[in-house]
Amino acid sequence: MNFNMIKQTITNLLIVFVFANVLQAQEEKIVQDPKVDSLVSLHQKAQQINLEHQEHDGIYGYRIQICFESGNNSKNRAMWYKDDFDTRYSGVSSYIVFEEPYYKVRVGDFRTRLEAEAFLQRIHRRYTNAFVTSDKIKFPKLLNE
């Protein structure tokens, strides 16, 4: 046997060995305890029940308050601020909150203060008295919604 023939034989054996390992790995299956599926199902049901109850209408996060009005015509002024904001920033939610005797306009559903501060920098020239405040915000949208 010459050197090239030995080299070819070793190469062929290595190829057969690699393919045998690949085929064996493909035949292995992951075995999962059936209780895992039932736990996932229970968790999904609990989440659905939580979302249906009124006390679970959001999570704590941050909003930006752009308006704070009281007195005569305060509701109309708050509605004007909300409409103005909605026109300029259509992708950001806005809310009118009434806490006697004040009407407040709050915008955004920010999970972190940093996100809220970044958006405040974008709108600060238009709404000079705006500030970040902690508030209950809507649940974030999931990617598949």
Side-chain angles (χ1 to χ4, degrees), residues 60-68 78-79 81-83 85-86 92-99 102-110 119 123 130-137:
Y60 287 100
Y62 298 89
R63 289 197 171 130
I64 298 170
Q65 187 164 303
I66 62 171
C67 171
F68 183 78
M79 290 173 67
Y81 271 97
K82 182 182 182 327
D83 291 342
F85 181 86
D86 289 343
V92 180
S93 301
S94 63
Y95 310 92
I96 293 180
V97 178
F98 179 70
E99 292 176 353
Y102 300 103
Y103 282 93
K104 303 172 183 179
V105 178
R106 292 185 175 176
V107 299
D109 289 307
F110 304 104
F119 189 72
I123 67 169
F131 61 92
V132 174
T133 183
S134 60
D135 203 350
K136 205 167 196 182
I137 63 172

Side-chain angles (χ1 to χ4, degrees), residues 14-45:
L14 283 174
I15 290 172
V16 168
F17 178 74
V18 168
F19 279 119
N21 282 338
V22 168
L23 288 175
Q24 182 183 6
Q26 287 179 351
E27 290 176 6
E28 292 179 11
K29 294 181 181 178
I30 297 174
V31 179
Q32 173 177 297
D33 191 331
K35 294 177 184 175
V36 172
D37 288 331
S38 65
L39 281 175
V40 169
S41 177
L42 284 173
H43 177 72
Q44 289 171 337
K45 288 176 187 174

